[in-house]
Amino acid sequence: TIVPNHADLKNAGALDFPSRELRKIFKDGDHVRVIHGKYEGETGLVVRVDDNVAVIVADTTYSEMKVRPRDMQLCTEMNSGVDSQGMYQIGDVVEVDQQTIGTSSGSRGSPSGF
């Protein structure tokens, strides 16, 4: 049972329906956080919603993520692109070893952050 908060339904009172019919709704331009799945913890901007999949552009890497609406929520905060120790940002040139340098592109599970 829900009580709708919409001008067209303000006189409808409480509505009963099966819970399996309840869906999260997102629209283009919504800023979201992924709360479950492969991209958990990422934030980004919804650029398209097709059927039961939202396409999100990540705040820090600008990569495209495909996420089910049930696995995300609206949010106002953005990922900063700074590793957990505050040492590196996305795009920093970093030394991997004495002969190898690279550009930091994320912090997925490595002990040092990048």
Side-chain angles (χ1 to χ4, degrees), residues 61-74:
T61 63
Y62 303 109
S63 60
E64 190 174 276
M65 305 178 288
K66 292 183 179 178
V67 180
R68 292 185 205 138
R70 71 177 185 198
D71 294 334
M72 55 193 214
Q73 65 185 22
L74 291 173

Side-chain angles (χ1 to χ4, degrees), residues 2-17:
I2 65 163
V3 178
N5 185 15
H6 190 277
D8 293 341
L9 299 173
K10 67 180 177 180
N11 296 323
L15 301 174
D16 290 321
F17 61 92

Side-chain angles (χ1 to χ4, degrees), residues 56-105:
I56 304 166
V57 174
D59 288 332
T60 55
T61 63
Y62 303 109
S63 60
E64 190 174 276
M65 305 178 288
K66 292 183 179 178
V67 180
R68 292 185 205 138
R70 71 177 185 198
D71 294 334
M72 55 193 214
Q73 65 185 22
L74 291 173
C75 77
T76 55
E77 50 298 322
M78 295 177 68
N79 285 345
S80 66
V82 178
D83 74 317
S84 61
Q85 297 174 9
M87 296 174 57
Y88 304 105
Q89 292 188 6
I90 301 294
D92 283 352
V93 175
V94 294
E95 181 180 17
V96 178
D97 59 39
Q98 289 184 349
Q99 282 100 17
T100 310
I101 62 169
T103 304
S104 62
S105 62

Side-chain angles (χ1 to χ4, degrees), residues 14-28:
L15 301 174
D16 290 321
F17 61 92
S19 61
R20 68 180 179 277
E21 292 180 9
L22 186 63
R23 301 281 186 264
K24 289 183 177 182
I25 296 175
F26 296 94
K27 61 185 182 303
D28 296 358

